[in-house]
Amino acid sequence: MSFPALTVLITRWCPPLERSRANAFIKSGSMFGVFLVMPTAGFLITAFGWESVFYVTGAVAVLWSILLEFLVYDDPQTHPRILERERSFLSESIGAHNLGEKNRMK
C-alpha cells in the first residue's frame, strides 16, 4: 500500500519537472532496505536465532510508521512547519501544472 500512497504524495509535493527523479529516488529505497536487511538478518540469526529477524524488522517497521504519522502531511497547505516561501513555490508550480491537466481533459 505504500507505493500508491507515495505516488500521490509525489504528485502533491514535487514540482512537475522533478517528479520522475523524486519517484526513482524514493522508490529505490525499497531495494536499499533489502540490501541492508540481508546481511543484518544473517547476523541476527547467528547471534539471537531466526525469530530475532522478525522482531527487529517488525520493530523497525512500527517505528517507521510512527515517524511517518507525525512527519508526513498530505500536501504543503496542511504542513505546519514548512516555510511560506516553499509553500507558495510548491502551490504555484504544482497548481499551475494540475490546472493545465484539467483543462486538457475537457
Side-chain angles (χ1 to χ4, degrees), residues 13-81:
W13 277 93
C14 295
L17 297 177
E18 298 176 16
R19 286 182 185 162
S20 60
R21 184 178 304 142
N23 199 10
F25 180 75
I26 291 169
K27 292 185 178 178
S28 67
S30 64
M31 290 298 113
F32 185 69
V34 171
F35 175 76
L36 288 178
V37 167
M38 288 302 169
T40 305
F43 168 76
L44 289 171
I45 291 170
T46 302
F48 306 107
W50 65 268
E51 300 95 344
S52 65
V53 176
F54 295 97
Y55 291 127
V56 171
T57 56
V60 169
V62 169
L63 178 64
W64 186 252
S65 298
I66 291 169
L67 284 172
L68 288 178
E69 180 67 31
F70 291 108
L71 297 176
V72 175
Y73 290 85
D74 288 337
D75 53 32
Q77 286 71 31
T78 59
H79 197 290
R81 293 178 303 276

Side-chain angles (χ1 to χ4, degrees), residues 15-16 76-77 84-99:
Q77 286 71 31
E84 191 58 41
R85 183 180 66 196
E86 290 176 304
R87 186 185 327 250
S88 64
F89 169 74
L90 291 171
S91 295
E92 289 172 13
S93 63
I94 295 170
H97 178 59
N98 289 343
L99 181 62

